[in-house]
Amino acid sequence: MPKSQVRKKKVYTPPTDVRPTATAATRKPSPVWLPATAVALIVGGIGWLVVYYLSAQEYPVATWGYWNLAVGFGAMVSSLILLSRWR
């Protein structure tokens, strides 16, 4: 049985006119305060929620009511936003 012909493909060469604007080597590292602030926000948010639930909704601020949940979860979400910028 005859062997089928093998097609020859051209070798891929990336275009030279398209280059990344900033390489990983030129980016500056994150400041030292960024991970420390993010961890503090996570711990603070969890602490806020734990105090709110264990105190039967009396503390940290009784007049805020369920907005205390927004404060606790908001602190944790803001820490995630900060950690997304960490290099």
Side-chain angles (χ1 to χ4, degrees):
M1 176 173 260
K3 187 177 178 185
S4 63
Q5 259 186 337
V6 178
R7 289 186 240 161
K8 294 182 182 179
K9 292 183 180 181
K10 293 182 181 180
V11 176
Y12 175 74
T13 56
T16 57
D17 59 340
V18 179
R19 301 211 178 207
T21 56
T23 61
T26 60
R27 290 184 179 177
K28 294 180 182 176
S30 298
V32 176
W33 61 266
L34 194 137
T37 304
V39 169
L41 281 171
I42 289 173
V43 171
I46 292 172
W48 190 282
L49 293 174
V50 166
V51 168
Y52 177 70
Y53 278 115
L54 291 181
S55 69
Q57 291 82 24
E58 292 289 324
Y59 297 106
V61 182
T63 57
W64 287 0
Y66 288 114
W67 284 103
N68 283 302
L69 296 175
V71 171
F73 284 116
M76 290 188 287
V77 168
S78 63
S79 71
L80 290 175
I81 292 170
L82 274 178
L83 286 175
S84 69
R85 301 196 177 269
W86 187 25
R87 282 184 230 125

